[in-house]
Amino acid sequence: MAHSFSFKSKIRIFGQAAEFNFGSPGGGNYDGEITFYGEGIAIDEIIEGFWSKVTGGAKYPLPRFKTRIKSIGTQILDNEKGSLFLIQLVLNDLQFSIYFTKETKDKQSTQIISINTLRPIIIDSLPGVTVDFSEPIVIDFTLNLASKATKVHFNEGVTKEFAAGFSYDLDLKLPDTELDPFTFTMPSREEEEAMTKAASTSVAAKPVESSEALSF
């Protein structure tokens, strides 16, 4: 029979000092809360830190949220597929999810940050625009940033797949227009380096038939 317990500890996460409280009703699942000291931690610092690590310093394309938080909820899941440390935060109509996973089979770890709308964003007017909308603009999206392609295993057989690098799912409805939902993915730094190396090797291996091929 599994026994419940609770635990409290001081930690540093995302470079900030915090207190970590968590407990378990048993079965390898743990629920808790991270409370940051001082002014809390800026959402932008977390997202931009992940972006820099995964893309190798590419220009940051997302808007700044300019918000600090004092506490966030956490979950720790452990099953035969691997372990998962999940941090989740709700800000207005957006949910921020940060995943730290480790596979049991190959011991590979993955870091993922995901931002998704909890309900569609409805826009029925625009600043400085007097045109009447026949229907509102409706936006529903999920943004993902993953250090590598992986499948996250939750309990009860639930899984979720992530592509390496930056990816998003966007469902956009414009007035009098029907657009199918689409997915965009951008390769991670490791994939870009592999493609660049492969292209360089292909060019280097191509024979030069005559000196005329080198003239300008």
Side-chain angles (χ1 to χ4, degrees), residues 48-60 189:
E48 291 182 42
F50 268 74
W51 177 266
S52 179
K53 180 177 180 180
V54 173
T55 66
K59 185 177 179 180
Y60 183 70
R189 179 177 55 183

Side-chain angles (χ1 to χ4, degrees), residues 5 7 9 11 13 20-34 73-79 82-88 98-102 152-155:
F5 74 94
F7 181 78
S9 176
I11 63 171
I13 184 168
F20 184 27
N21 293 273
F22 72 96
S24 171
N29 300 331
Y30 309 86
D31 297 315
E33 184 177 56
I34 297 174
T74 66
Q75 281 188 316
I76 301 175
L77 306 179
D78 192 16
N79 54 51
S83 58
L84 164 67
F85 179 42
L86 172 63
I87 298 173
Q88 286 191 313
I98 303 170
Y99 303 79
F100 299 92
T101 73
K102 177 168 284 189
V152 175
H153 300 277
F154 300 95
N155 287 325

Side-chain angles (χ1 to χ4, degrees), residues 88-180:
Q88 286 191 313
L89 154 73
V90 175
L91 182 62
N92 296 327
D93 289 335
L94 296 179
Q95 177 173 275
F96 297 80
S97 302
I98 303 170
Y99 303 79
F100 299 92
T101 73
K102 177 168 284 189
E103 295 289 331
T104 299
K105 185 176 180 180
D106 56 15
K107 304 299 182 183
Q108 292 292 316
S109 60
T110 310
Q111 298 83 45
I112 306 161
I113 187 166
S114 179
I115 306 171
N116 67 278
T117 49
L118 292 176
R119 60 179 62 89
I121 298 173
I122 299 175
I123 303 174
D124 55 12
S125 63
L126 296 174
V129 178
T130 58
V131 176
D132 292 332
F133 285 72
S134 58
E135 294 180 1
I137 298 172
V138 182
I139 305 172
D140 203 0
F141 67 84
T142 298
L143 307 177
N144 298 313
L145 186 61
S147 60
K148 71 180 185 67
T150 191
K151 180 185 289 186
V152 175
H153 300 277
F154 300 95
N155 287 325
E156 301 179 357
V158 179
T159 62
K160 186 174 182 179
E161 294 190 18
F162 293 90
F166 177 63
S167 64
Y168 67 81
D169 296 323
L170 175 65
D171 188 355
L172 175 64
K173 182 180 180 183
L174 301 175
D176 304 319
T177 304
E178 289 293 336
L179 294 177
D180 293 330

